[in-house]
Amino acid sequence: MTIDEIKVMIELSKTLHFGKTSRATHMSAPSVTRLVQRLEDELGCRLFDRDNRRVQLTEAGKVFQQYVEQQLRAWSELQVAISGVKGTVSGLVRIYCSVTASHSILTDILRPIKDRYPEIRVALSTGPSEETFQKISDDEVDIGICAYPKAVPSSIKIRKIKEVGLSVIVPKGASLDDIRSNALPFIYPKSALTRSYISDWFHQQGIAVKVYTELADVDGTMSLVSLGYGASVIPSLSCASHHLRDQVEVLPMTPELPSLKVGICCKKKVTYPSYVKVIMDAFPST
């Protein structure tokens, strides 16, 4: 098996879904099927029980899953060892963050890394910020970028990148009084952490908002607010650089909403691959 084939089989053993594996690995579904059939023929046993409704690992498949995961770890360790001999830092680092972070924070992190360590390659995946720690714990990614939660798991190492302010945005001509009177409903972010900050702030100000909907992405929120559907709160960095910035109002707030503390994180280990270590070391412990 090639390393790419090993990665495909690991993905399939986790998702138990040929379509999802195809999309995640950029290999066509028929090619994934042919790979499984070839390996099953070579091993003389079934690795997956599959029908029209579900896919399951067989007992042999579970043994195979452990084997390919060990092989991928060994390959990563070999890359690190060779990097040490060559005196360079190289390898593939898997990074996870929200779409918002990929737009507003990621480039500032990776630009100096790319300049200094051009042989480090990056595999980027995006999704809800709340899934960051779980993906790190499950070894799906090496590094995550997310807002600090109220409690950081003991298995996670996190270092501060920056603090990001929150902006209250409303349609042109609207005001805080429109939110207070419920003339303007509120579009809540789906992020539980951001939502809790906003709810606490409104409670302290004695404001009971009328909820219009919940949205996970900044683009959708900016669109609805610019069209007059409601008010919302988004990270100030995202608002300032958004193409719809001139079509919404940013309300000055007293007191200001609390800032989000954004960090870079990884799993706590005794030793780290060099390509993870140099990225984490770019941010001092606090």
Side-chain angles (χ1 to χ4, degrees), residues 18 47-48 71 76 94 100 111 114 122 157 159 173 177 188 201 220 223 225 235 248 282:
F18 281 78
L47 300 175
F48 299 90
Q71 293 304 304
S76 297
R94 300 165 300 166
T100 299
R111 185 173 287 112
K114 185 177 186 301
V122 173
K157 177 166 74 173
R159 292 178 174 176
D177 287 338
Y188 261 109
W201 188 89
S223 294
V225 173
V248 301

Side-chain angles (χ1 to χ4, degrees), residues 262-282:
V262 179
I264 186 167
C265 53
C266 66
K267 184 185 287 188
K268 284 183 179 177
K269 296 181 180 179
V270 176
T271 59
Y272 294 91
S274 55
Y275 51 82
V276 172
K277 186 176 186 301
V278 295
I279 295 175
M280 293 299 296
D281 285 352

Side-chain angles (χ1 to χ4, degrees), residues 114-126:
K114 185 177 186 301
D115 291 342
R116 186 171 180 183
Y117 305 104
E119 294 189 40
I120 293 180
R121 295 174 294 121
V122 173
L124 176 65
S125 56
T126 59

